[in-house]
Amino acid sequence: MEDLLEKMRDRVLRHTDGIRMRTAIPRVGIGVVSDGSAPTAGTCGQGVCLVLQGAKQMLVGEKMLRYEAGSCFASLVELPTTRYVFEGTRISPYVATSLTIDKDAFNALVADVPSSSTNRGTSAFSVALASRQLVEAWDNYLALLDTPEDIPALAASRERELMYRLLQSPHGSLLRQIGREEGKLSKVREAIEWIRQHFDQPLEIKDVAERSGMSIPSFNRHFRQATSTSPLQYQKMLRLHAARRLLAADTDAAHAAFEVGYESASQFSREYSRLFGRPPRQDASLLRKNIGSAADVMI
């Protein structure tokens, strides 16, 4: 399968100059990282990522993940990561491509492809090796980068083929949860969405657990199984990442802290520095120098 991965890697390198970017192909992102040895914090969005060269280490909550060329990472929710490291050099950079799942198209496909598995775990993410059939389907979709005039006519069918191969992969059981409205994982995903929409407000675990139809111990257990972190830690990560975006847009640190729900500027500064490795003002200065250099793309 190395031949396929190398072909896809070369195609990505032709279409991006060391940055992460969305492409003209619907819901497809590509990215190259040449110097990623320094750990940093970030977010991992909903979707699937295929590594074409190099490797990535990522700490999600309390779980350390590592996936390399030929491996896929899939996530049903936005996961704030406490740190990640790209393993790549200027000579041999980290290269990856991603797909954001179209929920409606995916659910239509699921209806046509009955599941042979009854596994309904509560984890919201997984890592697995990609099969040759999956990589071939992804390569076929990514090839539209070279013929953008074909995208309107061919993208939908090639995307459906790729989603079909994802359904057949070890991620299939996880991805089928996208359209399910019952089960603990579905309730946790609803709770996550509520927290994301109200992250700047005080979080009462009792209220969120009741909204999910669970007791507090049950909710906390299933939330941790899904995200590898607690609801309060998840909210804190959302707040700090939101504050970082405000700082990058030239908002001062005190105002950013207030906007994301902090009442104490000193607490905000401590927690920000612990996560991002620099105090807010210093980090903001660096962010503004590099603003626009990379899109928010899952790779």
Side-chain angles (χ1 to χ4, degrees):
M1 192 165 65
E2 290 182 10
D3 57 331
L4 273 172
L5 295 173
E6 290 175 0
K7 183 170 69 168
M8 295 174 71
R9 174 204 65 194
D10 291 345
R11 181 174 286 116
V12 168
L13 290 172
R14 288 199 305 272
H15 288 276
T16 181
D17 184 20
I19 62 173
R20 285 166 275 177
M21 57 180 282
R22 298 178 182 88
T23 70
I25 306 173
R27 290 166 288 282
V28 170
I30 57 177
V32 177
V33 181
S34 300
D35 184 12
S37 58
T40 186
T43 57
C44 183
Q46 303 175 57
V48 185
C49 171
L50 173 65
V51 180
L52 306 176
Q53 179 173 276
K56 181 177 180 180
Q57 296 181 52
M58 183 167 64
L59 185 62
V60 180
E62 301 169 353
K63 184 173 292 187
M64 177 62 78
L65 306 176
R66 184 180 185 276
Y67 46 106
E68 55 191 14
S71 296
C72 260
F73 172 81
S75 174
L76 298 187
V77 298
E78 180 177 327
L79 296 169
T81 60
T82 49
R83 60 172 15 191
Y84 58 83
V85 178
F86 293 106
E87 298 177 19
T89 65
R90 294 193 179 277
I91 297 175
S92 182
Y94 170 89
V95 183
T97 181
S98 64
L99 176 73
T100 301
I101 302 294
D102 182 321
K103 183 177 179 180
D104 292 337
F106 192 80
N107 287 339
L109 175 62
V110 167
D112 294 335
V113 184
S115 173
S116 59
S117 171
T118 58
N119 179 23
R120 297 191 181 185
T122 54
S123 177
F125 59 92
S126 63
V127 175
L129 287 173
S131 67
R132 186 174 184 88
Q133 291 88 345
L134 173 56
V135 177
E136 286 175 343
W138 209 314
D139 177 50
N140 197 31
Y141 198 28
L142 198 63
L144 291 173
L145 286 175
D146 295 330
T147 57
E149 67 276 8
D150 293 337
I151 291 176
L154 300 179
S157 61
R158 294 190 184 185
E159 182 180 20
R160 182 178 170 87
E161 178 189 10
L162 175 52
M163 292 191 297
Y164 173 71
R165 294 303 179 188
L166 285 168
L167 268 181
Q168 293 183 314
S169 76
H171 296 303
S173 180
L174 171 73
L175 295 174
R176 284 180 181 274
Q177 302 293 322
I178 289 174
R180 290 195 176 124
E181 298 181 356
E182 76 282 356
K184 299 298 184 183
L185 180 55
S186 174
K187 297 301 181 184
V188 169
R189 288 173 60 210
E190 290 177 6
I192 287 172
E193 186 58 30
W194 190 91
I195 293 172
R196 290 182 67 244
Q197 292 177 3
H198 302 84
F199 69 86
D200 57 340
Q201 302 174 18
L203 179 61
E204 297 292 340
I205 302 299
K206 178 177 178 293
D207 294 340
V208 184
E210 288 179 354
R211 291 175 62 90
S212 303
M214 288 182 260
S215 65
I216 293 177
S218 177
F219 174 73
N220 282 329
R221 183 175 69 255
H222 288 293
F223 193 99
R224 186 174 291 277
Q225 287 174 346
T227 65
S228 194
T229 192
S230 69
L232 288 172
Q233 183 68 15
Y234 187 91
Q235 181 203 44
K236 182 172 78 172
M237 295 287 287
L238 290 178
R239 286 181 168 184
L240 291 172
H241 282 288
R244 200 180 199 207
R245 289 191 292 271
L246 289 172
L247 289 170
D250 208 20
T251 303
D252 68 82
H255 184 67
F258 175 77
E259 283 294 307
V260 301
Y262 276 87
E263 296 180 357
S264 166
S266 60
Q267 180 186 0
F268 167 72
S269 183
R270 285 195 306 271
E271 294 184 350
Y272 189 101
S273 300
R274 190 179 302 126
L275 179 61
F276 297 114
R278 290 181 291 267
R281 290 180 182 176
Q282 181 183 346
D283 190 47
S285 178
L286 293 172
L287 287 170
R288 290 164 195 159
K289 289 179 183 178
N290 297 318
I291 195 163
S293 63
D296 184 15
V297 174
M298 176 186 183
I299 63 162

